[in-house]
Amino acid sequence: MTTPPPAGVRGARTAAFRAGLHRARVEFRQSATNVQDVWGTLFLPVIALIVMYLLRHNTVPGTGFSLGSQSIPGILGLNVVLNGMVALAMTLTMDREDGTLLRAKATPNGMIGYLTGKVLSRAGMSVAGALVPLVPAAFLFDGLRLGDAASWLTLTWVLALGMVAVLPIGAVLGSLFESAQSMGVVMLPLMALMAVSGVFYPLTAFPGWLQLVAQVFPVYWLGLGLRSALLPDALAAAEVGDSWRHLETAGVLGAWALLGFVLAPAVLRRMARRESGSAVAARRAKAMQRPL
Protein backbone atom coordinates (compact mmCIF):
# COMPACT_ATOMS: atom_id res chain seq x y z
CA MET A 1 0.00 0.00 0.00
CA THR A 2 1.42 3.39 -1.00
CA THR A 3 1.95 5.86 1.83
CA PRO A 4 0.42 9.27 1.02
CA PRO A 5 2.78 12.26 1.16
CA PRO A 6 2.82 14.30 4.41
CA ALA A 7 0.33 17.11 4.76
CA GLY A 8 3.11 19.70 4.46
CA VAL A 9 4.23 18.28 1.13
CA ARG A 10 0.67 18.23 -0.19
CA GLY A 11 0.21 21.84 0.94
CA ALA A 12 3.41 22.92 -0.81
CA ARG A 13 2.35 21.22 -4.04
CA THR A 14 -1.08 22.83 -3.84
CA ALA A 15 0.55 26.23 -3.36
CA ALA A 16 2.83 25.57 -6.35
CA PHE A 17 -0.17 24.59 -8.47
CA ARG A 18 -1.97 27.80 -7.48
CA ALA A 19 1.14 29.77 -8.37
CA GLY A 20 1.06 28.02 -11.74
CA LEU A 21 -2.56 29.06 -12.28
CA HIS A 22 -1.61 32.67 -11.51
CA ARG A 23 1.36 32.40 -13.86
CA ALA A 24 -0.90 31.03 -16.60
CA ARG A 25 -3.29 33.99 -16.25
CA VAL A 26 -0.44 36.49 -16.37
CA GLU A 27 1.27 34.85 -19.37
CA PHE A 28 -2.00 34.49 -21.27
CA ARG A 29 -2.88 38.15 -20.63
CA GLN A 30 0.59 39.24 -21.77
CA SER A 31 0.37 37.14 -24.94
CA ALA A 32 -3.19 38.26 -25.71
CA THR A 33 -2.22 41.94 -25.42
CA ASN A 34 1.11 41.68 -27.27
CA VAL A 35 0.77 42.53 -30.96
CA GLN A 36 3.67 40.28 -31.98
CA ASP A 37 2.29 37.27 -30.06
CA VAL A 38 -1.22 37.80 -31.39
CA TRP A 39 0.05 38.07 -34.97
CA GLY A 40 2.18 34.96 -34.49
CA THR A 41 -0.93 33.09 -33.32
CA LEU A 42 -3.18 34.31 -36.12
CA PHE A 43 -0.69 34.51 -39.01
CA LEU A 44 -1.22 30.96 -40.27
CA PRO A 45 -5.05 30.97 -40.12
CA VAL A 46 -5.17 34.40 -41.78
CA ILE A 47 -3.02 33.23 -44.70
CA ALA A 48 -4.91 29.93 -44.89
CA LEU A 49 -8.28 31.72 -44.87
CA ILE A 50 -7.15 33.91 -47.77
CA VAL A 51 -5.94 30.88 -49.75
CA MET A 52 -9.11 28.91 -49.07
CA TYR A 53 -11.26 31.92 -49.98
CA LEU A 54 -9.56 32.03 -53.36
CA LEU A 55 -10.37 28.31 -53.75
CA ARG A 56 -13.96 28.64 -52.53
CA HIS A 57 -15.38 27.86 -55.98
CA ASN A 58 -13.56 24.51 -56.12
CA THR A 59 -15.57 21.62 -54.74
CA VAL A 60 -14.86 18.53 -52.67
CA PRO A 61 -14.60 15.55 -55.09
CA GLY A 62 -17.95 13.85 -55.48
CA THR A 63 -19.92 16.72 -53.90
CA GLY A 64 -20.98 20.26 -54.66
CA PHE A 65 -19.58 21.55 -51.37
CA SER A 66 -16.89 24.25 -51.39
CA LEU A 67 -13.36 22.95 -50.83
CA GLY A 68 -12.59 26.20 -49.00
CA SER A 69 -15.38 25.64 -46.47
CA GLN A 70 -14.37 22.00 -46.05
CA SER A 71 -10.82 23.05 -45.15
CA ILE A 72 -11.73 25.52 -42.37
CA PRO A 73 -11.99 22.94 -39.53
CA GLY A 74 -8.66 21.38 -40.52
CA ILE A 75 -7.02 24.81 -40.49
CA LEU A 76 -8.33 25.40 -36.97
CA GLY A 77 -6.98 22.01 -35.88
CA LEU A 78 -3.61 22.79 -37.46
CA ASN A 79 -3.55 26.05 -35.50
CA VAL A 80 -4.14 24.11 -32.26
CA VAL A 81 -1.15 21.88 -33.05
CA LEU A 82 1.14 24.80 -33.87
CA ASN A 83 0.05 27.10 -31.02
CA GLY A 84 -0.16 24.24 -28.54
CA MET A 85 2.32 21.46 -29.17
CA VAL A 86 4.97 23.30 -31.23
CA ALA A 87 4.80 26.57 -29.28
CA LEU A 88 5.07 24.73 -25.94
CA ALA A 89 8.11 22.82 -27.19
CA MET A 90 9.75 26.03 -28.41
CA THR A 91 9.02 27.78 -25.10
CA LEU A 92 10.60 24.97 -23.07
CA THR A 93 13.75 24.96 -25.20
CA MET A 94 14.11 28.75 -24.98
CA ASP A 95 13.58 28.71 -21.21
CA ARG A 96 16.26 26.05 -20.87
CA GLU A 97 18.64 28.17 -22.88
CA ASP A 98 18.18 31.42 -20.92
CA GLY A 99 18.13 29.80 -17.46
CA THR A 100 14.43 30.28 -16.66
CA LEU A 101 13.99 26.54 -16.18
CA LEU A 102 16.98 26.35 -13.86
CA ARG A 103 15.51 29.09 -11.67
CA ALA A 104 12.21 27.20 -11.53
CA LYS A 105 14.06 24.04 -10.55
CA ALA A 106 15.86 25.88 -7.71
CA THR A 107 12.52 26.89 -6.16
CA PRO A 108 10.75 24.29 -3.98
CA ASN A 109 8.08 22.69 -6.19
CA GLY A 110 8.91 25.36 -8.74
CA MET A 111 8.69 22.93 -11.66
CA ILE A 112 5.05 22.20 -10.80
CA GLY A 113 4.16 25.88 -10.95
CA TYR A 114 6.26 26.47 -14.04
CA LEU A 115 4.78 23.62 -16.05
CA THR A 116 1.23 24.35 -14.90
CA GLY A 117 1.58 27.95 -16.05
CA LYS A 118 3.15 27.08 -19.39
CA VAL A 119 0.70 24.32 -20.29
CA LEU A 120 -2.42 26.30 -19.34
CA SER A 121 -1.27 29.54 -21.00
CA ARG A 122 -0.48 27.68 -24.24
CA ALA A 123 -3.83 25.88 -24.02
CA GLY A 124 -5.56 29.26 -23.73
CA MET A 125 -3.72 30.64 -26.76
CA SER A 126 -4.54 27.45 -28.69
CA VAL A 127 -8.27 27.87 -28.01
CA ALA A 128 -8.12 31.54 -28.95
CA GLY A 129 -6.17 30.73 -32.12
CA ALA A 130 -8.81 28.16 -33.08
CA LEU A 131 -11.96 30.12 -32.27
CA VAL A 132 -11.06 33.69 -33.30
CA PRO A 133 -10.72 32.79 -37.03
CA LEU A 134 -14.25 31.40 -36.93
CA VAL A 135 -15.60 34.97 -36.88
CA PRO A 136 -14.35 35.97 -40.35
CA ALA A 137 -14.89 32.40 -41.60
CA ALA A 138 -18.59 32.70 -40.77
CA PHE A 139 -18.85 35.62 -43.21
CA LEU A 140 -16.47 34.37 -45.89
CA PHE A 141 -17.56 30.73 -46.23
CA ASP A 142 -20.94 29.08 -46.66
CA GLY A 143 -22.11 25.83 -45.10
CA LEU A 144 -20.45 26.01 -41.65
CA ARG A 145 -22.74 24.85 -38.80
CA LEU A 146 -22.10 27.73 -36.40
CA GLY A 147 -25.68 28.14 -35.20
CA ASP A 148 -26.16 24.55 -33.98
CA ALA A 149 -25.82 23.84 -30.24
CA ALA A 150 -24.81 20.22 -30.92
CA SER A 151 -22.06 21.52 -33.18
CA TRP A 152 -20.59 23.62 -30.37
CA LEU A 153 -20.81 20.68 -27.97
CA THR A 154 -18.81 18.50 -30.37
CA LEU A 155 -16.38 21.36 -30.97
CA THR A 156 -15.81 21.67 -27.21
CA TRP A 157 -14.98 18.03 -26.48
CA VAL A 158 -12.85 17.64 -29.60
CA LEU A 159 -10.79 20.75 -28.78
CA ALA A 160 -10.41 19.72 -25.14
CA LEU A 161 -9.37 16.15 -25.93
CA GLY A 162 -7.18 17.32 -28.80
CA MET A 163 -5.21 19.68 -26.58
CA VAL A 164 -4.81 17.00 -23.92
CA ALA A 165 -3.41 14.77 -26.68
CA VAL A 166 -0.94 17.23 -28.25
CA LEU A 167 0.31 19.35 -25.32
CA PRO A 168 2.19 16.48 -23.58
CA ILE A 169 3.88 15.74 -26.91
CA GLY A 170 5.03 19.35 -27.00
CA ALA A 171 6.44 19.01 -23.47
CA VAL A 172 8.33 15.86 -24.49
CA LEU A 173 9.78 17.51 -27.61
CA GLY A 174 10.79 20.58 -25.63
CA SER A 175 12.58 18.33 -23.15
CA LEU A 176 14.56 16.48 -25.81
CA PHE A 177 16.08 19.51 -27.55
CA GLU A 178 18.42 21.97 -25.88
CA SER A 179 17.82 24.98 -28.14
CA ALA A 180 15.09 26.44 -30.31
CA GLN A 181 17.34 26.07 -33.35
CA SER A 182 17.72 22.33 -32.79
CA MET A 183 13.92 22.02 -32.82
CA GLY A 184 14.13 22.67 -36.55
CA VAL A 185 14.90 19.00 -37.18
CA VAL A 186 11.32 18.05 -36.27
CA MET A 187 9.58 20.85 -38.14
CA LEU A 188 10.05 19.43 -41.65
CA PRO A 189 8.56 15.98 -40.89
CA LEU A 190 5.84 17.67 -38.82
CA MET A 191 4.84 19.93 -41.71
CA ALA A 192 4.90 16.93 -44.06
CA LEU A 193 2.60 15.07 -41.66
CA MET A 194 0.21 18.02 -41.57
CA ALA A 195 0.16 18.15 -45.37
CA VAL A 196 -1.09 14.55 -45.62
CA SER A 197 -3.51 14.70 -42.66
CA GLY A 198 -6.54 15.94 -44.57
CA VAL A 199 -6.12 19.55 -43.44
CA PHE A 200 -6.32 21.15 -46.90
CA TYR A 201 -7.68 18.25 -48.95
CA PRO A 202 -9.75 15.14 -48.12
CA LEU A 203 -7.62 12.25 -46.89
CA THR A 204 -9.41 9.87 -49.25
CA ALA A 205 -7.68 11.59 -52.19
CA PHE A 206 -4.28 10.27 -51.03
CA PRO A 207 -2.81 6.78 -51.62
CA GLY A 208 -3.88 4.08 -49.18
CA TRP A 209 -0.52 3.85 -47.41
CA LEU A 210 -0.50 7.61 -46.76
CA GLN A 211 -4.02 7.36 -45.34
CA LEU A 212 -2.79 4.72 -42.88
CA VAL A 213 0.19 6.85 -41.85
CA ALA A 214 -1.97 9.93 -41.28
CA GLN A 215 -4.46 7.99 -39.14
CA VAL A 216 -1.74 6.96 -36.69
CA PHE A 217 -1.19 10.54 -35.54
CA PRO A 218 -3.51 12.94 -33.68
CA VAL A 219 -3.42 15.74 -36.29
CA TYR A 220 -5.82 13.90 -38.62
CA TRP A 221 -8.23 12.95 -35.84
CA LEU A 222 -8.32 16.47 -34.43
CA GLY A 223 -9.18 17.80 -37.89
CA LEU A 224 -11.78 15.06 -38.42
CA GLY A 225 -13.47 15.86 -35.11
CA LEU A 226 -13.61 19.56 -35.94
CA ARG A 227 -15.03 18.79 -39.38
CA SER A 228 -17.75 16.67 -37.77
CA ALA A 229 -18.64 19.66 -35.59
CA LEU A 230 -18.65 22.38 -38.25
CA LEU A 231 -19.59 20.70 -41.54
CA PRO A 232 -22.90 19.22 -42.73
CA ASP A 233 -23.36 15.51 -42.07
CA ALA A 234 -23.48 14.86 -45.81
CA LEU A 235 -19.75 15.73 -45.99
CA ALA A 236 -18.96 12.56 -44.01
CA ALA A 237 -19.15 10.81 -47.39
CA ALA A 238 -15.80 12.42 -48.27
CA GLU A 239 -14.10 10.89 -45.21
CA VAL A 240 -12.50 7.50 -44.71
CA GLY A 241 -15.27 4.99 -44.01
CA ASP A 242 -17.96 7.52 -45.07
CA SER A 243 -18.35 8.45 -41.39
CA TRP A 244 -17.21 11.03 -38.84
CA ARG A 245 -16.05 8.13 -36.62
CA HIS A 246 -16.52 9.87 -33.26
CA LEU A 247 -15.63 6.76 -31.26
CA GLU A 248 -12.40 6.28 -33.17
CA THR A 249 -11.60 9.99 -32.79
CA ALA A 250 -12.04 9.82 -29.02
CA GLY A 251 -10.10 6.56 -28.87
CA VAL A 252 -7.05 7.70 -30.86
CA LEU A 253 -6.85 11.13 -29.22
CA GLY A 254 -7.33 9.49 -25.82
CA ALA A 255 -4.55 6.99 -26.57
CA TRP A 256 -2.15 9.81 -27.50
CA ALA A 257 -3.14 11.69 -24.34
CA LEU A 258 -2.44 8.61 -22.23
CA LEU A 259 0.90 8.04 -23.95
CA GLY A 260 1.83 11.68 -23.41
CA PHE A 261 0.95 11.64 -19.72
CA VAL A 262 3.04 8.48 -19.27
CA LEU A 263 6.09 9.79 -21.13
CA ALA A 264 6.04 13.51 -20.30
CA PRO A 265 6.60 13.31 -16.50
CA ALA A 266 9.53 10.91 -16.89
CA VAL A 267 11.16 12.96 -19.66
CA LEU A 268 10.59 16.23 -17.79
CA ARG A 269 12.10 14.82 -14.58
CA ARG A 270 15.14 13.66 -16.54
CA MET A 271 15.48 17.09 -18.12
CA ALA A 272 15.19 18.84 -14.76
CA ARG A 273 17.87 16.61 -13.21
CA ARG A 274 20.30 17.53 -15.99
CA GLU A 275 19.78 21.28 -15.59
CA SER A 276 22.69 23.05 -13.92
CA GLY A 277 24.47 26.37 -14.00
CA SER A 278 27.28 24.92 -16.09
CA ALA A 279 24.81 23.48 -18.62
CA VAL A 280 23.07 26.85 -18.98
CA ALA A 281 26.43 28.63 -19.35
CA ALA A 282 27.51 26.15 -22.04
CA ARG A 283 24.28 26.69 -23.99
CA ARG A 284 24.68 30.47 -23.74
CA ALA A 285 28.27 30.25 -24.98
CA LYS A 286 27.14 28.08 -27.88
CA ALA A 287 24.35 30.52 -28.69
CA MET A 288 26.82 33.43 -28.77
CA GLN A 289 28.85 31.59 -31.40
CA ARG A 290 25.92 31.26 -33.81
CA PRO A 291 26.18 33.41 -36.93
CA LEU A 292 23.76 36.34 -36.99
Side-chain angles (χ1 to χ4, degrees):
M1 181 176 178
T2 303
T3 304
V9 174
R10 293 197 301 271
R13 290 177 179 175
T14 301
F17 181 72
R18 289 175 178 170
L21 292 177
H22 176 70
R23 179 177 187 139
R25 287 194 296 270
V26 172
E27 292 191 357
F28 177 77
R29 184 170 62 249
Q30 290 175 340
S31 296
T33 54
N34 183 286
V35 175
Q36 184 175 354
D37 288 347
V38 171
W39 177 240
T41 299
L42 298 179
F43 173 77
L44 176 65
V46 167
I47 298 301
L49 286 176
I50 293 174
V51 172
M52 290 301 105
Y53 183 73
L54 296 176
L55 297 176
R56 66 191 184 281
H57 297 304
N58 293 3
T59 58
V60 177
T63 75
F65 196 79
S66 166
L67 180 63
S69 299
Q70 191 269 347
S71 300
I72 296 304
I75 292 170
L76 303 184
L78 178 60
N79 211 35
V80 169
V81 173
L82 293 178
N83 286 306
M85 182 182 77
V86 176
L88 178 59
M90 294 290 288
T91 299
L92 285 175
T93 56
M94 288 189 292
D95 285 352
R96 292 180 73 186
E97 196 168 26
D98 66 13
T100 300
L101 204 60
L102 181 61
R103 291 191 292 272
K105 175 189 174 184
T107 305
N109 293 305
M111 287 296 293
I112 296 176
Y114 169 82
L115 290 172
T116 299
K118 288 297 180 186
V119 169
L120 292 181
S121 64
R122 290 319 313 174
M125 289 303 293
S126 297
V127 172
L131 297 183
V132 170
L134 277 178
V135 177
F139 294 96
L140 295 175
F141 298 92
D142 297 325
L144 299 178
R145 296 167 49 203
L146 296 177
D148 189 346
S151 173
W152 285 97
L153 179 62
T154 303
L155 186 70
T156 299
W157 74 258
V158 170
L159 276 178
L161 188 55
M163 284 189 295
V164 172
V166 302
L167 284 173
I169 303 173
V172 170
L173 291 175
S175 302
L176 295 177
F177 297 93
E178 294 189 350
S179 69
Q181 285 73 18
S182 62
M183 271 286 296
V185 300
V186 303
M187 290 306 299
L188 185 59
L190 180 60
M191 296 306 294
L193 176 64
M194 292 176 180
V196 300
S197 291
V199 172
F200 299 107
Y201 207 72
L203 187 65
T204 49
F206 295 105
W209 68 272
L210 269 182
Q211 295 182 30
L212 293 176
V213 170
Q215 291 177 79
V216 172
F217 297 95
V219 179
Y220 165 73
W221 297 98
L222 177 58
L224 177 64
L226 293 176
R227 287 194 292 275
S228 74
L230 297 175
L231 299 181
D233 289 336
L235 264 291
E239 301 291 344
V240 176
D242 300 328
S243 168
W244 295 127
R245 299 192 289 172
H246 281 159
L247 287 179
E248 291 90 336
T249 298
V252 175
L253 292 179
W256 274 97
L258 180 62
L259 178 63
F261 278 104
V262 170
L263 291 179
V267 176
L268 288 167
R269 283 194 297 268
R270 176 178 175 273
M271 175 193 67
R273 285 196 301 267
R274 298 177 63 183
E275 286 301 298
S276 64
S278 60
V280 172
R283 283 195 291 268
R284 286 180 176 173
K286 187 176 180 180
M288 292 294 292
Q289 297 174 359
R290 294 176 190 143
L292 296 177

